[in-house]
Amino acid sequence: MGTQQSTTLNSDSTGKQTSGNYGNLGDGTSDWFNYVRAKDGGIAGIGATTDAAAAVGANGSLIAILKTMRDFHKAEDVAVASGDYGIPVLAQRNDSLTTLTSATGDYGLPAIGPAGEAYVVPTPPLTATPAAAVALSEAATAALATNLVIKASAGTLYTLTCFNNNAAARFLQLANLTALGADGTVPAWIYSIPAGGSIHLNFGPFGRRFTTGIVACFSTTAATKTIAAADMWLNAGYK
């Protein structure tokens, strides 16, 4: 016995097909298909292209709801306006910062505190020992000295603490060299330290770059190097 298919077609007064029902192939498993053709606004549930966007949380035609969803997406750098709405991002309150996921790579919720503030874990965590890749190298005088080669090759200086043990002011000079230069050398950086005083310098996350090397010394003159007595105690952090 051959296959059978049931078909019903409907047309308008001009002969244009408006809907159709297509039956299965008689095998009891194939799908049925419905076809509907209507003018704009002809089906209330779908709505019309002139429908206004539905209010958030309100019912409306399919077109009205789709228009509301379209407004969830904001273009970059668009100014915030009163009444704007979007898709909220949920977060889980986690005052003790306990583990919320079972394994690395799992999906999870952002963690917030009791006031709704976002928790951000520093890298590396404050309780962890910094890895060698991020920890600064340290150079320090073992006693009062006239100079210190902080690094004998190109590097970046991040922190420096220096004490002047002399009864007169001294100039701390930093030179872009691999070894102590001769008197008369022009330094790259100059800092005045009062008698019995000290300074602490923090050059921030990017530091001060030295393309050749980093050498510190005490000088009795500012603009050029005139080596001073061994009254410098210095500690530096560099990479």
Side-chain angles (χ1 to χ4, degrees):
M1 185 176 184
T3 58
Q4 296 180 352
Q5 182 176 5
S6 174
T7 303
T8 301
L9 300 175
N10 299 302
S11 303
D12 60 16
S13 59
T14 63
K16 293 181 179 179
Q17 183 178 342
T18 58
S19 65
N21 297 315
Y22 300 88
N24 63 30
L25 300 177
D27 56 11
T29 60
S30 300
D31 293 332
W32 284 75
F33 301 92
N34 293 313
Y35 165 80
V36 178
R37 180 177 182 273
K39 67 177 182 179
D40 187 17
I43 302 176
I46 296 178
T49 55
T50 55
D51 287 355
V56 177
N59 294 325
S61 68
L62 178 59
I63 291 177
I65 293 173
L66 289 174
K67 285 184 176 181
T68 303
M69 295 176 65
R70 178 187 60 192
D71 291 338
F72 287 164
H73 304 281
K74 307 298 181 186
E76 184 180 0
D77 294 332
V78 171
V80 175
S82 177
D84 279 352
Y85 48 85
I87 300 174
V89 176
L90 297 178
Q92 182 173 347
R93 177 170 170 174
N94 186 18
D95 295 354
S96 59
L97 283 181
T98 55
T99 300
L100 298 179
T101 55
S102 58
T104 299
D106 289 355
Y107 289 109
L109 292 172
I112 59 173
E117 71 278 18
Y119 281 133
V120 179
V121 178
T123 304
L126 296 178
T127 56
T129 300
V134 297
L136 296 178
S137 298
E138 183 180 14
T141 54
L144 292 171
T146 62
N147 70 93
L148 176 67
V149 177
I150 297 172
K151 189 177 184 184
S153 60
T156 302
L157 185 62
Y158 290 91
T159 63
L160 185 147
T161 300
C162 185
F163 168 69
N164 175 18
N165 192 53
N166 199 280
R170 288 290 181 260
F171 297 100
L172 171 64
Q173 296 184 348
L174 298 176
N176 189 25
L177 299 170
T178 59
L180 182 65
D183 278 2
T185 299
V186 177
W189 302 92
I190 307 169
Y191 303 93
S192 178
I193 306 179
S198 62
I199 61 170
H200 176 73
L201 304 174
N202 187 322
F203 296 107
F206 301 106
R208 295 287 187 185
R209 182 68 179 167
F210 290 77
T211 57
T212 303
I214 311 172
V215 178
C217 75
F218 259 10
S219 174
T220 57
T221 55
T224 59
K225 171 186 167 287
T226 304
I227 198 68
D231 289 308
M232 177 184 76
W233 194 289
L234 185 142
N235 180 284
Y238 70 93
K239 288 187 73 68

